[in-house]
Amino acid sequence: PPSPLSSLVVVMAELSASNSALIASSALFATWNSSSSTSEDDPCIYSWSGVTCTNLSFSSSSSSSSSSPSFPSPPPPLSPSTSWVITGLDLSYQGLTGDLPASLSLLTGLQTLNLAYNNFDTPSNAASNTLAGSTHPPSALPLAWTTLTRLTSINLKGNALGGNLLPAWGASLLSLRQLDISNNGIQGTIPDMWATGLTQLTRLILSGNAAMCGSIPNPWGYSSNVTIVAAAGASSDTFTGGQLANRTNGLVGNVTVPVALTIVATQTNI
């Protein structure tokens, strides 16, 4: 795969297209010395802010930051010539705008991704996030990210994302355990492919997306260990008054409605 430096140079260029002034004044991006492609600017050796790396030449737990994420077992193979790999990226609370950066697909060793509380919105070319020939509506979630098969956690909370959830993620992000897309403008239903493909998922947070509708797809409705937090604040949200509420009668485990009216449906194995 591309080196950590060359990958982040591409990511920086894509983000700069919509955020050049913001990035120029950002304390976090001030540590991203991407002016050249030399080892002196390596993001793993010189610890760029928000970037977590793992040195594969020592062990899968040797990290350049305080956290030491572990690969899912068994992980997809990485090139033996790669000594450092970016395993974590945290660009939350940066005020970034525009499309979610498709170039993050270059970070194929990424395990945790946090882009929460920015201002990313629906892509101008949202149709490109739909597979050719698909009958599914356009998605705000990048199809390019299907290369990130090691991801265990994605946090996109508090942006301005619209469109639908991307079914293709269910066939590719097979290591995903936690996904937070709350407080956006996502619409439509939970793809059936997510329930059949995201078998490692334990927590899915969808609250604050009032235009979402539909029911919990099988097999999540009956035979998995998934906690789904669905929006419940608006009467127009059919997750609250419609099919989700009706489907909870068939769930095994605890179904609670807290004071905040957020439905938390916890499924356990039968």
Side-chain angles (χ1 to χ4, degrees):
S3 69
L5 175 59
S6 62
S7 298
L8 287 186
V9 166
V10 176
V11 172
M12 173 74 99
E14 184 176 1
L15 290 173
S16 295
S18 300
N19 302 277
S20 56
L22 185 150
I23 288 176
S25 61
S26 166
L28 182 147
F29 286 108
T31 68
W32 286 35
N33 184 10
S34 58
S35 58
S36 65
S37 298
T38 64
S39 59
E40 287 77 13
D41 296 327
D42 192 287
C44 295
I45 296 175
Y46 292 95
S47 301
W48 291 13
S49 294
V51 178
T52 298
C53 299
T54 296
N55 192 324
L56 300 179
S57 64
F58 294 106
S59 70
S60 61
S61 62
S62 297
S63 176
S64 66
S65 74
S66 58
S67 59
S68 299
S70 58
F71 284 131
S73 180
L78 285 173
S79 168
S81 63
T82 303
S83 58
W84 287 97
V85 61
I86 296 175
T87 53
L89 185 63
D90 185 350
L91 301 181
S92 58
Y93 294 96
Q94 295 302 307
L96 298 168
T97 63
D99 301 351
L100 290 170
S103 55
L104 289 178
S105 61
L106 296 172
L107 305 179
T108 53
L110 202 62
Q111 297 178 34
T112 61
L113 175 61
N114 187 354
L115 299 178
Y117 296 106
N118 283 288
N119 293 303
F120 290 113
D121 54 23
T122 306
S124 55
N125 61 338
S128 67
N129 287 334
T130 302
L131 290 171
S134 172
T135 58
H136 296 285
S139 175
L141 308 180
L143 180 61
W145 289 7
T146 55
T147 63
L148 303 179
T149 57
R150 294 172 180 267
L151 272 174
T152 62
S153 175
I154 302 176
N155 190 348
L156 301 175
K157 180 178 183 178
N159 281 278
L161 301 173
N164 292 260
L165 299 179
L166 187 66
W169 278 20
S172 55
L173 304 187
L174 305 184
S175 299
L176 197 61
R177 299 170 189 168
Q178 297 189 50
L179 177 58
D180 188 344
I181 321 178
S182 60
N183 299 334
N184 280 282
I186 302 295
Q187 55 188 304
T189 63
I190 302 174
D192 290 342
M193 193 180 296
W194 284 26
T196 56
L198 302 182
T199 57
Q200 301 300 311
L201 196 68
T202 59
R203 190 166 181 82
L204 174 62
I205 306 177
L206 300 171
S207 52
N209 292 289
M212 291 200 70
C213 58
S215 59
I216 300 175
N218 289 323
W220 282 349
Y222 301 99
S223 60
S224 67
N225 293 317
V226 180
T227 296
I228 300 177
V229 182
S235 59
S236 61
D237 187 340
T238 56
F239 271 112
T240 42
Q243 298 174 21
L244 177 58
N246 293 335
R247 276 292 291 280
T248 57
N249 294 327
L251 300 180
V252 178
N254 298 321
V255 178
T256 61
V257 181
V259 175
L261 296 180
T262 297
I263 292 181
V264 180
T266 303
Q267 295 82 32
T268 56
N269 290 323
I270 298 176

